Amino acid sequence: MRTRLHSAAASVTTAVAAAVAAVVLTPAVAAPAQAAGYRYWSFWESQGGGRWAYATQGPATAVPADGDAIGFRFAVSEDANDAARPSGAPDFAGICAGTERRAGTKRVAVVVDFGGPRDAPPGETPPDPPVETGCAQVRKDATSAEALAAVAKPLRYDSAALLCGIAGYPAKGCGEQVAGTQPSAGQARPSGSTSATAPTAASDGEGGGPSVGIVAGGAAVLVLGGAAIWKARRRT
């Protein structure tokens, strides 16, 4: 009986050890080390304190008032929380200095930030200088898209009316997905932005330790293995 018990326990122990090894050593199905993003023109509006705010509607429907500033930034980002602001300030007084208001029109300061080399599509180089400004003098009911067109032609749109190019940049492509994004050097990220790097299933998010899932999985296997040994002893 002792021999049978020893044999049964040894068999279960071997199986448990193999299962634990499988849990710990088998590569986990990991999430991408860096989340996917998109290369596109983001649209911004001026707010109090000389700051930019991510626009809540597209430039084709937004209607700025006289004295407003609008901005466009070309960059790679995951979403609105991660988008880079235009590096030029929404300085209406400085951009539109000397442009007098005429009857039936409004003045809108426009800032266009072409981004850096790391944001550029393969084979393209951002214009120099990387930031351009202009004072659009347009009719009172003109949209932000019309104000942009007044100072930064040619514009390029896709079939879904997505703004793809400003002043001819980039020459092709439109909002394409880019895997493994990282913020550009010098990018001014909005507060509360999400990290471009997500912890993988083999990491606890702090770097260097096994994930809770792997530890919990190994513990579960050991508990089940212990129960199996106890049952084997009772049967013998």
Side-chain angles (χ1 to χ4, degrees):
M1 181 176 68
R2 181 180 293 275
T3 301
R4 290 198 302 270
L5 176 59
H6 176 77
S7 177
S11 297
V12 173
T13 302
T14 300
V16 171
V20 172
V23 171
V24 176
L25 299 179
T26 300
V29 178
Q34 294 176 337
Y38 297 87
R39 182 182 286 116
Y40 70 102
W41 281 103
S42 57
F43 173 43
W44 302 78
E45 297 172 321
S46 57
Q47 62 178 8
R51 296 175 296 169
W52 290 112
Y54 198 94
T56 57
Q57 56 183 313
T61 56
V63 179
D66 180 73
D68 282 348
I70 58 176
F72 299 83
R73 169 66 190 260
F74 189 76
V76 175
S77 59
E78 294 177 46
D79 51 35
N81 292 325
D82 189 63
R85 297 182 180 95
S87 55
D91 180 15
F92 173 81
I95 295 172
C96 287
T99 302
E100 296 183 1
R101 185 176 181 180
R102 296 198 302 261
T105 68
K106 62 184 176 184
R107 298 157 300 162
V108 180
V110 181
V111 176
V112 178
D113 187 335
F114 296 99
R118 296 174 65 180
D119 298 309
E124 297 203 45
T125 303
D128 187 22
V131 179
E132 293 186 0
T133 62
C135 185
Q137 191 159 39
V138 291
R139 67 182 191 280
K140 287 184 176 181
D141 62 348
T143 65
S144 293
E146 291 173 302
L148 174 64
V151 298
K153 288 181 179 179
L155 305 183
R156 181 170 59 86
Y157 292 87
D158 70 357
S159 58
L162 178 67
L163 180 61
C164 305
I166 297 178
Y169 180 80
K172 57 185 178 180
C174 194
E176 62 271 18
Q177 190 172 29
V178 181
T181 62
Q182 288 186 352
S184 300
Q187 227 180 50
R189 298 175 64 181
S191 59
S193 63
T194 57
S195 172
T197 303
T200 67
S203 167
D204 61 2
E206 299 296 332
S211 72
V212 173
I214 288 180
V215 173
V221 170
L222 290 174
V223 169
L224 292 175
I229 293 173
W230 178 77
K231 287 182 179 180
R233 287 177 175 172
R234 291 200 60 183
R235 285 198 300 270
T236 53

